[in-house]
Amino acid sequence: MLTNKTIKFSNCLKLTAVSGILAAVSLPAQAEQWRGWNIHPPSYPNSVALESFSEEVAEKTEGRIEPKVYHNGVLGAQPDAIEQTRSGALDFANFNMGPMGPIVPATNILSLPFIFNSTEDMYRIMDGEIGGRFAEALAEKNLVALSWFGSGARSLYNTDHPVKTPDDVDGLKFRVMNNDLYVQMIDELGGNATPMAYSEVYQSLKTGVIDGAENNYPSYESSGHYEVAKYYSLTEHLVLPECLCVAKSTWDEMSEEDQGIVRKAAENAAQEQRKLWEERAQKSRELVLESGVEINEVDDKAAFQEKMKPIYDDFVEENPQLETLVKDIQAAQE
Ligand code: GTR
């Protein structure tokens, strides 16, 4: 007859045997599942680069980290996604520096119209010491910027007529990204600005809630805005960098080895994005032209710059601590 004592003893033996087997199999540590935010459709250059980033991270960490990108802005509008990444509810994202301004004031410098002369200047400056200063400002707000993507130049487009001089903006209603600086930008030109989520622009153009918006060729095309707003005017007023950012809490949880892997993958993704960008910008331009869009040069860019000058003056007056950074960016392009 088995006593209570012997039953317990035999169970104990079984347990010891099972844990012995488990230890021998040496189960892999549980993979970290990362959620990544992306506003664009899967074929967009940024999306392709984010997928490459995810694959490289999963492969090089041997599955310790498994990033997954959610495309098309399904995880929310950009300002909300920035907050979610800051809090660690999202692990990584590709953010435009435009809507970053209200959260990280230094990044507003990047939204000063005509601050960069060209995409090449922007890349050179953001990849260097000055870019590091922006990364520091982002880190203070819990965002680890690992590399910089390009987004070409943004230009005005509308449903009514070509914009050739600032006077042509008079009275037009433009959607802008969520940042007061852009409201002032349109005001200075004599138009009316409405901050609005990217996902709402198409419908608002269609129903006449707004007359126009501003963006680069690939976004103008992939969002379908060109189907409604047929006049694309090459003001090229903004050359905005975008980041591949990781949540600070996610970053801090990683080993140094994995941080190195993730950083390298982000740098590789930026190189790929920049290359794909050039091809896509060209394609998008052709596509919108074929569909009957009228693209026009502006007569005199300096006239637009002149109108927007008060934005600089006000910005420096309100943020005297950022004046040096503005000046350093200007000096780096002389
Ligand atoms: C795109 C940019 C997006 C978003 C969008 C917008 O060019 O890549 O991140 O900022 O513009 O206008 O909201």
Side-chain angles (χ1 to χ4, degrees):
M1 241 184 92
L2 289 172
T3 64
N4 260 351
K5 216 172 174 181
T6 48
I7 290 169
K8 274 189 198 139
F9 180 69
S10 68
N11 275 348
C12 211
L13 275 181
K14 274 187 216 153
L15 271 180
T16 314
V18 170
S19 42
I21 291 164
L22 283 180
V25 171
S26 94
L27 289 175
Q30 218 191 344
E32 288 290 332
Q33 312 277 345
W34 280 11
R35 294 189 336 139
W37 180 88
N38 174 32
I39 202 167
H40 296 293
S43 65
Y44 203 84
N46 306 30
S47 316
V48 175
L50 285 169
E51 287 294 349
S52 302
F53 166 77
S54 304
E55 270 167 40
E56 186 175 330
V57 168
E59 192 193 309
K60 296 266 166 67
T61 62
E62 294 169 337
R64 286 190 295 281
I65 302 172
E66 281 176 4
K68 179 167 165 52
V69 190
Y70 292 82
H71 300 292
N72 283 319
V74 291
L75 296 183
Q78 188 147 207
D80 301 334
I82 294 174
E83 288 305 344
Q84 289 195 51
T85 310
R86 290 186 59 210
S87 73
L90 291 174
D91 299 288
F92 70 109
N94 160 217
F95 290 132
N96 186 351
M97 289 300 111
M100 194 61 83
I103 298 152
V104 185
T107 61
N108 264 330
I109 295 174
L110 306 167
S111 287
L112 293 171
F114 304 104
I115 185 84
F116 292 114
N117 294 337
S118 65
T119 300
E120 291 67 39
D121 281 325
M122 184 277 276
Y123 286 150
R124 178 174 54 80
I125 290 168
M126 294 308 287
D127 287 341
E129 182 270 327
I130 291 179
R133 286 192 242 168
F134 286 104
E136 268 170 38
L138 286 158
E140 277 169 27
K141 301 287 175 175
N142 292 338
L143 294 168
V144 182
L146 296 174
S147 62
W148 305 107
F149 287 10
S151 66
R154 293 173 79 101
S155 287
L156 295 175
Y157 49 89
N158 77 92
T159 54
D160 199 64
H161 57 257
V163 169
K164 294 185 174 163
T165 69
D167 285 349
D168 295 324
V169 174
D170 196 45
L172 289 179
K173 270 185 269 155
F174 282 95
R175 173 269 176 172
V176 291
M177 290 182 280
N178 185 41
N179 189 331
D180 287 347
L181 220 63
Y182 302 141
V183 174
Q184 183 182 4
M185 180 178 83
I186 298 295
D187 276 358
E188 301 290 353
L189 293 175
N192 301 311
T194 311
M196 186 185 284
Y198 188 49
S199 58
E200 287 167 23
V201 179
Y202 182 83
Q203 202 54 26
S204 302
L205 283 169
K206 255 197 145 159
T207 54
V209 170
I210 49 172
D211 304 304
E214 46 86 60
N215 224 315
N216 48 52
Y217 281 127
S219 286
Y220 174 55
E221 176 259 303
S222 65
S223 60
H225 298 173
Y226 74 98
E227 293 164 12
V228 198
K230 294 277 182 196
Y231 298 94
Y232 191 87
S233 307
L234 292 165
T235 47
E236 298 183 322
H237 51 279
L238 289 170
V239 174
L240 284 169
E242 303 197 1
C243 73
L244 201 170
C245 280
V246 169
K248 175 112 187 346
S249 52
T250 303
W251 181 256
D252 288 344
E253 275 166 19
M254 271 186 279
S255 66
E256 249 178 60
E257 185 200 348
D258 285 354
Q259 285 179 347
I261 290 171
V262 171
R263 187 177 288 282
K264 184 75 196 136
E267 284 164 3
N268 290 341
Q271 291 314 315
E272 182 181 16
Q273 190 272 347
R274 294 176 188 189
K275 195 168 149 280
L276 292 174
W277 182 268
E278 294 312 317
E279 296 162 16
R280 177 60 179 258
Q282 190 59 32
K283 267 200 205 136
S284 295
R285 185 176 178 278
E286 282 160 19
L287 200 145
V288 301
L289 277 172
E290 274 162 26
S291 86
V293 161
E294 198 180 299
I295 299 177
N296 68 279
E297 299 280 340
V298 298
D299 294 339
D300 180 9
K301 253 194 205 165
F304 286 85
Q305 264 169 288
E306 194 48 39
K307 283 267 178 188
M308 291 175 178
K309 179 102 186 349
I311 306 177
Y312 276 74
D313 301 340
D314 294 353
F315 181 77
V316 167
E317 201 181 302
E318 283 161 28
N319 304 277
Q321 76 286 6
L322 295 174
E323 188 174 9
T324 316
L325 190 43
V326 175
K327 291 233 161 85
D328 288 350
I329 293 178
Q330 288 167 332
Q333 297 174 91
E334 274 162 6

